[in-house]
Amino acid sequence: VIPAMISSHRVYAYPFAGYWVDVGTVQSYWEATMDLLQPSPQLDLYNPDWTIHTRSEERPPVLMGGDAELDRSLLSNGCVIDGRIERSVLSPGVRVEAGAVVRDSIVFNDAVIKAGAVVDRAILDKGAVVGARAVAGVGPSDVVNRDFPDRLNTGISLVGKGAVVPGGVRVGRNVVVRPDSGEADFGGDVASGATV
């Protein structure tokens, strides 16, 4: 964007001492999001002098079930939690059913993690579903994604918008599950580095 602007516009630069991170890769985006979980993050979402304005719909408060567990995570309005959340960021309307575990992950709006499922070091897009007893993020981290080796090579798996990981299926690391994928797209477990 900037090089194209230089040829047709007057472009200026100035020193900036505040928080800034380039989130142009999956890994850097994941790291910047995980930075929000630090005891004193550089980007303070609760700073009243720097209000973050965003469009969001009204949803009920977070509902934590009797067996729910939470460890250093951010939950948005409308989340219903009956499982365990560890070092993760959950967007509005996420459901985590009983016995499910979400660890070191980013989960977008209205995603559902069914009973007994595990989501580990993954990014789930809006409306994604991880079926009962399925696992998203298991196995070796050093097997790069064969279709996107320069983008998925640090162990983070991606589950696309509206995708459904069938119950009991194990999805490896550095995997891409394309948007709207469903049971017919899976032939069983998905090895690390694959694309569905």
Side-chain angles (χ1 to χ4, degrees):
V1 171
I2 294 173
M5 290 175 60
I6 290 173
S7 65
S8 60
H9 294 77
R10 294 179 74 159
V11 178
Y12 299 89
Y14 68 95
F16 178 69
Y19 178 81
W20 183 88
V21 175
D22 179 356
V23 293
T25 66
V26 171
Q27 178 66 26
S28 63
Y29 172 75
W30 182 86
E31 288 174 1
T33 303
M34 294 297 116
D35 283 348
L36 297 173
L37 303 178
Q38 298 303 318
S40 298
Q42 292 182 32
L43 177 61
D44 183 3
L45 298 176
Y46 303 96
N47 181 350
D49 296 326
W50 194 59
T51 304
I52 297 174
H53 296 279
T54 184
R55 230 176 73 185
S56 63
E57 61 191 81
E58 287 299 318
R59 297 199 187 204
V62 173
L63 177 61
M64 301 283 289
D67 293 326
E69 297 178 61
L70 184 65
D71 176 29
R72 204 174 70 201
S73 297
L74 288 175
L75 307 180
S76 299
N77 54 351
C79 287
V80 178
I81 309 301
D82 287 304
R84 179 167 174 74
I85 313 299
E86 303 172 9
R87 299 171 309 279
S88 294
V89 177
L90 278 59
S91 297
V94 171
R95 298 184 66 89
V96 179
E97 294 183 358
V101 177
V102 178
R103 181 184 307 115
D104 298 321
S105 294
I106 303 165
V107 183
F108 283 95
N109 301 45
D110 302 311
V112 177
I113 295 90
K114 297 282 191 174
V118 175
V119 175
D120 185 52
R121 201 167 156 83
I123 301 173
L124 276 60
D125 204 346
K126 296 176 180 179
V129 176
V130 178
R133 297 172 315 285
V135 179
V138 64
S141 297
D142 59 347
V143 179
V144 302
N145 184 275
R146 65 176 168 255
D147 295 327
F148 307 101
D150 56 329
R151 295 185 201 136
L152 285 174
N153 50 31
T154 62
I156 299 169
S157 289
L158 306 177
V159 178
K161 184 177 181 179
V164 177
V165 176
V169 167
R170 297 171 60 83
V171 175
R173 303 210 184 267
N174 295 317
V175 167
V176 173
V177 177
R178 293 187 185 275
D180 299 315
S181 297
E183 192 164 348
D185 300 302
F186 289 80
D189 292 348
V190 180
S192 291
T195 299
V196 175

